[in-house]
Amino acid sequence: MIRGAALEISLTSYLERTMNKVLTILHLGEDERSIAHMPVIGDRTLSLLKSIRVSDTSKDTIVSEAADVLSHCVFKGETGSRTNIAVGYVQSGKTLSYTVLSALAADNGFKVVIYLTGTKTNLQNQTYDRLEKDFDLENNYTNYKLFEDNLQNDAGTINRIVNFLNIEGCVLLFPILKHYQHIGVLASLFQSTSIKSRISHEPVLIIDDEADQSSFNTYAKKNSAKKEWEPDEFSATYSSILDLRKAFPCHSYIQYTATPQAAFLIDSSDILSPEYHTVLTPGEGYIGGKYFFKNPEAKLIEMIPEDEVYHYKRNPLQKMPNSLLESLKQFLLSVAVVVFIQKRERYLSMMIHVDGTCASNTKFYKWTTNTIQGWIETLELSTADIGRLQLVKELQLSYDEITKHIQNRPNFEKVLEILPLAMKLTHIRLIHGDNKKQEQTDSSRIKWEQDKAHILVGAEMLNRGFTIEKLSMTYMPRTAKGKATADTIEQRCRFFGYKENYKDVCRLFLSSKAKEEYEAYVEHEEILRTNLKQCNTMSEFSKKYKAMVLSNKLAPTRSNILSKKLVVGKMVGWHSLLSVDSFEENYKLTRNMLDGVPYADFEYFDRFGDNVSRNHRYVKVSVEACIDFLRQFKYHDVPNITRKIVSIQYLRYLEETAMIKYVYLIEMAYEADGNQMRSHKLRDGKPINLMVGHSPNYDYPGDSFFRFEDSICIQLHGFRINDPGMMGNKKVYNLAFYYPESLGQHYVTLNDNDGEEVDDDV
């Protein structure tokens, strides 16, 4: 049922996708089945969509995905709770998604929406302002009531909430700081008798923005080491979230994040472990990790020399680094071109992200303000002044660099004329806070359009969730000494976003280590999103993808929230999957596959005499055909299942990114049978060895020699079992994977010693 036909967008795809989702879920097994609702798109959603300045196609996608999220929530007339997750890209419009979700929830009988807005007040204020603007609360005061986060647990506040609950059609909105005291006050209010009696049958939506931050139990690792009879401990914020959820007999908890690693790795029995997921699509014009780090033609990354990578202990620079000077020159020149001359944008912004200490931020702030003021004064000197001539010469070089992607760029002399004014109209802000002082600047209240350029210097206050408007230049010397945590570094990517109109002047100044880490993260992120799209429920995802493809340069998340130990594996070089599990089924599968390949499709390696066990052949097969074969090849043990799963994940990614077009299947000893067949002994129920080594007597280079470097190779080893037991003389196929160095990857999984079932049917 769709109402509000006046809306000029097509919602056909929403109906099709939601109905298909419902039908898919109805056909799941009993342990995974949940009847999905088809939400009504009502007047509130339609009104909000009309006010959003995006294309009709983007509106269609936003409402479709919001409806998918809501379809798995607990509706009016039901009891219980559910935890779901929405996964987007950094700076891709997750706030808009959950705003539309809120309107859709209002259209479908939800009475209360609570937003856990993050741990910093700037993000909370940003969310409050966004809700006030998007819902047009000045004119919509009977449809929504937006509460500020200064609530007191007293009779006046309770009466006020009850009064608004009793206004028919009014939906109550609570954006609150993700802090145990703030959450605790709200939980206490809703547990009061008068509010609880009014809300007991009403559906409630709790939206956890930046859900991987602070929400999870940081005592999980500590608790996992305890004896069973000892009580668990809970971190304060986690405990307050549990109390909040207990206050609502009918509620849904929706996690929004761009970095879901923690949510997928915590114990599946945890109340914050999601049941369903929605992968959010970025809108048109989004510039993200793939554009910055997997786009060699763009050349948007500038390297900060190692001796200029600042650290307040390891490298406390005493003078302003040249790389910072260059980034400032390029930024100010881009402002003169894009804002003043071409008038493509009303303003541009720059972020200088140093580290988490106030002293470091203050140092860089002073360097920046003093330098720009010095440039202003120098450019106002006589054109014959030696100092001015030298600065102009340097600016010419910076101009050539920042404008190399600009079409019809203005001449340098024209830019130089306007540059002093551009500098004067640049607002430089120090954005940080500490435990003793209030924030130096409330970054959520910045009046962006009142200046022609903004330079924000800070770190933690500019991290996850906060949007820096029109950010084109980022200078970020910050980097971890050891292995970086994937979700943490990704949340620093304020430089992603909707930048199509000025992407030609976007630049990142990074250390070489940070660049490598971001390149690794982008690969991991794309593989993870691909895998999520393959599954309908998180139960299905957790069975099929117990491991994550992730470079060894990164750790997935902080270890204190994980109750199990992380295990790291390699997909580099040779790895044999030794097993006699389902040997008859696997042997038949492999023979049928090989017998189905036309003889002419095989290529043959050079022969090594008449010993058939040393002569091999290969065939190129499509990635999809290889995946289909691997899916059917059975294992019963976790290590082999994990390697098979991550290999399938990685093959999908390599194909989607056009890094490979085929896989090599290498049939070892293809002529061997009967007594000529290779044989292997067993130890602990597995073959002792699989690959034959170098043999100088026969000039044989060894099985590992037979491989290729341009794609993944899988050797198919057929052999007989040399064992006096029941398995003796049985025919078996085992696999050996070769991952070329150029395509090598790593993966992480959780130590699974608790006997938890692993699904090998991927």
Side-chain angles (χ1 to χ4, degrees):
M1 171 178 159
I2 299 181
R3 293 182 284 118
L7 181 66
E8 296 178 356
I9 65 171
S10 169
L11 298 177
T12 303
S13 68
Y14 155 67
L15 291 171
E16 292 176 348
R17 290 167 62 179
T18 306
M19 181 57 75
N20 289 337
K21 190 81 171 181
V22 172
L23 294 175
T24 300
I25 292 173
L26 289 175
H27 285 87
L28 294 175
E30 290 295 333
D31 60 330
E32 297 178 339
R33 182 175 297 174
S34 174
I35 305 301
H37 300 272
M38 180 176 283
V40 171
I41 300 178
D43 293 335
R44 301 194 198 199
T45 305
L46 298 176
S47 176
L48 176 60
L49 291 172
K50 284 181 181 179
S51 68
I52 297 172
R53 295 182 179 179
V54 298
S55 69
D56 290 351
T57 301
S58 293
K59 290 179 181 180
D60 188 21
T61 300
I62 293 166
V63 73
S64 174
E65 291 173 349
D68 185 60
V69 174
L70 195 65
S71 70
H72 299 115
C73 290
V74 181
F75 274 55
K76 190 166 186 174
E78 303 174 335
T79 56
S81 65
R82 183 166 295 148
T83 301
N84 302 327
I85 190 168
V87 181
Y89 287 116
V90 169
Q91 297 286 103
S92 65
K94 295 185 296 298
T95 304
L96 178 58
S97 174
Y98 68 66
T99 303
V100 173
L101 174 64
S102 302
L104 198 60
D107 282 333
N108 287 269
F110 285 72
K111 194 65 177 175
V112 174
V113 183
I114 297 169
Y115 308 87
L116 307 183
T117 61
T119 62
K120 301 291 190 297
T121 55
N122 60 346
L123 181 55
Q124 180 202 18
N125 291 334
Q126 180 178 273
T127 302
Y128 185 96
D129 293 347
R130 181 69 179 271
L131 292 171
E132 187 175 42
K133 177 175 178 283
D134 287 351
F135 287 132
D136 189 19
L137 295 184
E138 288 187 6
N139 301 310
N140 254 339
Y141 50 86
T142 58
N143 285 338
Y144 302 99
K145 172 55 186 175
L146 180 62
F147 287 82
E148 293 188 7
D149 188 15
N150 57 0
L151 302 175
Q152 301 294 322
N153 187 5
D154 54 28
T157 304
I158 291 172
N159 291 337
R160 192 159 167 258
I161 292 175
V162 170
N163 289 336
F164 279 105
L165 285 171
N166 288 331
I167 297 176
E168 185 176 356
C170 185
V171 178
L172 282 61
L173 310 177
F174 295 88
I176 62 171
L177 201 66
K178 196 188 297 185
H179 184 278
Y180 73 96
Q181 291 178 334
H182 295 248
I183 300 172
V185 169
L186 193 64
S188 298
L189 284 167
F190 277 98
Q191 287 168 347
S192 64
T193 303
S194 53
I195 295 180
K196 194 168 186 177
S197 62
R198 178 62 183 81
I199 201 71
S200 60
H201 300 295
E202 300 287 351
V204 172
L205 201 62
I206 303 174
I207 295 173
D208 188 348
D209 191 16
E210 304 299 337
D212 60 302
Q213 183 188 32
S214 299
S215 299
F216 299 112
N217 185 21
T218 56
Y219 291 161
K221 182 177 180 180
K222 179 180 178 181
N223 291 337
S224 67
K226 291 182 176 181
K227 295 180 181 179
E228 291 185 6
W229 56 267
E230 291 184 332
D232 285 349
E233 293 183 77
F234 302 114
S235 51
T237 302
Y238 176 82
S239 182
S240 67
I241 291 174
L242 299 187
D243 290 340
L244 180 65
R245 298 189 65 173
K246 288 176 185 176
F248 304 112
C250 173
H251 77 274
S252 301
Y253 187 89
I254 311 299
Q255 303 167 323
Y256 269 80
T257 184
T259 48
Q261 292 81 6
F264 296 161
L265 289 171
I266 62 172
D267 195 303
S268 59
S269 64
D270 193 303
I271 193 171
L272 298 191
S273 178
E275 299 174 53
Y276 293 94
H277 64 278
T278 300
V279 180
L280 303 178
T281 306
E284 299 166 358
Y286 177 74
I287 304 297
K290 288 188 291 186
Y291 186 83
F292 279 102
F293 296 102
K294 296 295 181 181
N295 185 5
E297 295 180 359
K299 296 181 180 178
L300 304 178
I301 314 297
E302 301 280 353
M303 305 312 301
I304 300 176
E306 288 302 310
D307 61 350
E308 294 184 5
V309 177
Y310 178 87
H311 188 273
Y312 73 102
K313 287 184 178 179
R314 297 191 301 271
N315 191 27
L317 301 175
Q318 299 305 314
K319 67 175 184 177
M320 190 174 187
N322 290 329
S323 53
L324 176 58
L325 287 167
E326 178 61 22
S327 68
L328 288 169
K329 291 172 187 172
Q330 290 189 25
F331 172 67
L332 294 167
L333 287 161
S334 71
V335 172
V337 174
V338 173
V339 177
F340 284 86
I341 298 174
Q342 296 181 340
K343 301 185 185 302
R344 280 190 272 153
E345 297 292 344
R346 297 184 66 176
Y347 58 90
L348 290 176
S349 298
M350 176 178 180
M351 176 178 73
I352 301 175
H353 185 128
V354 188
D355 62 24
T357 66
C358 293
S360 299
N361 295 324
T362 301
K363 176 188 286 190
F364 275 72
Y365 170 77
K366 290 179 178 178
W367 278 341
T368 300
T369 53
N370 293 338
T371 297
I372 293 178
Q373 184 60 35
W375 287 341
I376 293 171
E377 295 171 1
T378 300
L379 289 174
E380 291 178 340
L381 296 173
S382 165
T383 56
D385 184 86
I386 296 176
R388 187 182 189 279
L389 289 172
Q390 178 61 35
L391 176 58
V392 169
K393 183 179 179 180
E394 295 171 2
L395 289 169
Q396 174 76 66
L397 296 174
S398 301
Y399 169 81
D400 291 340
E401 178 61 32
I402 195 62
T403 60
K404 64 184 179 182
H405 298 312
I406 297 179
Q407 296 182 353
N408 301 318
R409 66 179 186 175
N411 62 59
F412 175 65
E413 288 70 23
K414 185 176 182 180
V415 175
L416 191 60
E417 289 178 10
I418 203 71
L419 188 58
L421 179 60
M423 292 179 176
K424 292 174 182 176
L425 297 181
T426 296
H427 195 151
I428 307 168
R429 292 179 172 87
L430 180 60
I431 310 289
H432 68 197
D434 57 35
N435 294 328
K436 298 178 181 179
K437 301 177 182 178
Q438 295 294 320
E439 291 128 30
Q440 299 293 325
T441 301
D442 186 350
S443 52
S444 67
R445 305 298 185 182
I446 293 174
K447 303 300 182 183
W448 298 99
E449 295 188 356
Q450 290 185 3
D451 295 292
K452 293 300 182 182
H454 303 268
I455 299 177
L456 279 61
V457 185
E460 302 311 314
M461 300 299 292
L462 302 179
N463 260 346
R464 60 173 66 237
F466 180 66
T467 299
I468 301 176
E469 300 286 348
K470 308 296 182 183
L471 177 62
S472 64
M473 177 67 68
T474 297
Y475 183 85
M476 190 164 67
R478 186 173 189 173
T479 186
K481 181 180 180 180
K483 185 177 291 189
T485 302
D487 49 6
T488 299
I489 66 164
E490 182 68 359
Q491 287 292 352
R492 293 175 185 156
C493 293
R494 301 300 97 196
F495 40 84
F496 295 163
Y498 294 90
K499 305 176 183 297
E500 183 68 29
N501 194 43
Y502 57 95
K503 66 182 181 181
D504 49 4
V505 294
C506 288
R507 297 292 189 275
L508 307 180
F509 281 72
L510 301 173
S511 70
S512 58
K513 182 175 183 291
K515 179 175 179 288
E516 291 175 357
E517 290 167 347
Y518 280 118
E519 289 172 340
Y521 185 90
V522 171
E523 285 193 358
H524 159 72
E525 180 177 50
E526 293 306 313
I527 296 170
L528 182 60
R529 286 172 63 89
T530 297
N531 295 336
L532 284 168
K533 291 175 183 178
Q534 302 290 322
C535 302
N536 290 299
T537 67
M538 286 308 304
S539 176
E540 180 186 359
F541 175 80
S542 64
K543 288 181 179 180
K544 288 186 175 181
Y545 303 112
K546 291 183 73 67
M548 291 182 180
V549 177
L550 181 66
S551 168
N552 67 339
K553 295 181 175 68
L554 300 171
T557 189
R558 53 209 180 280
S559 62
N560 62 346
I561 66 169
L562 304 178
S563 58
K564 297 178 182 179
K565 184 179 179 181
L566 279 172
V567 178
V568 180
K570 294 181 179 180
M571 286 192 290
V572 182
W574 283 106
H575 291 274
S576 298
L577 279 64
L578 304 175
S579 175
V580 293
D581 297 336
S582 301
F583 69 94
E584 292 178 333
E585 186 178 353
N586 288 340
Y587 188 87
K588 182 179 179 181
L589 169 71
T590 307
R591 282 287 8 131
N592 287 342
M593 185 271 296
L594 289 170
D595 292 342
V597 177
Y599 181 83
D601 288 356
F602 281 102
E603 300 285 342
Y604 296 83
F605 292 104
D606 292 340
R607 295 184 66 86
F608 290 87
D610 295 330
N611 188 333
V612 294
S613 70
R614 297 191 181 98
N615 297 320
H616 321 299
R617 64 179 181 174
Y618 66 92
V619 64
K620 296 178 182 178
V621 301
S622 69
V623 176
E624 194 57 43
C626 179
I627 289 175
D628 185 60
F629 168 69
L630 292 176
R631 282 170 58 92
Q632 298 177 69
F633 205 98
K634 297 293 183 182
Y635 293 103
H636 299 168
D637 62 301
V638 171
N640 281 334
I641 291 173
T642 300
R643 179 163 294 280
K644 189 186 87 167
I645 288 172
V646 295
S647 295
I648 289 174
Q649 292 181 50
Y650 198 40
L651 284 169
R652 283 199 180 105
Y653 168 72
L654 292 173
E655 181 186 37
E656 287 186 359
T657 55
M659 295 177 70
I660 64 172
K661 296 181 179 179
Y662 48 80
V663 177
Y664 291 98
L665 294 185
I666 304 171
E667 186 182 6
M668 307 299 289
Y670 66 93
E671 298 173 302
D673 200 2
N675 293 330
Q676 294 180 307
M677 229 179 156
R678 290 178 172 182
S679 66
H680 294 286
K681 294 182 178 180
L682 300 182
R683 178 184 297 159
D684 298 327
K686 293 184 178 182
I688 296 175
N689 291 305
L690 187 63
M691 301 178 71
V692 175
H694 171 59
S695 177
N697 293 336
Y698 297 96
D699 196 27
Y700 182 67
D703 288 356
S704 63
F705 172 81
F706 300 95
R707 66 181 191 268
F708 298 91
E709 297 297 331
D710 61 323
S711 189
I712 305 295
C713 305
I714 303 176
Q715 288 186 351
L716 311 174
H717 289 261
F719 59 91
R720 288 184 180 275
I721 297 175
N722 181 3
D723 189 86
M726 294 179 61
M727 292 291 295
N729 219 34
K730 299 291 186 182
K731 290 183 178 181
V732 176
Y733 264 108
N734 272 195
L735 310 179
F737 283 76
Y738 178 70
Y739 313 91
E741 187 72 30
S742 61
L743 299 174
Q745 258 296 1
H746 289 68
Y747 62 89
V748 294
T749 187
L750 293 173
N751 188 14
D752 224 334
N753 293 323
D754 57 1
E756 184 178 345
E757 180 184 355
V758 181
D759 188 353
D760 187 36
D761 185 16
V762 296

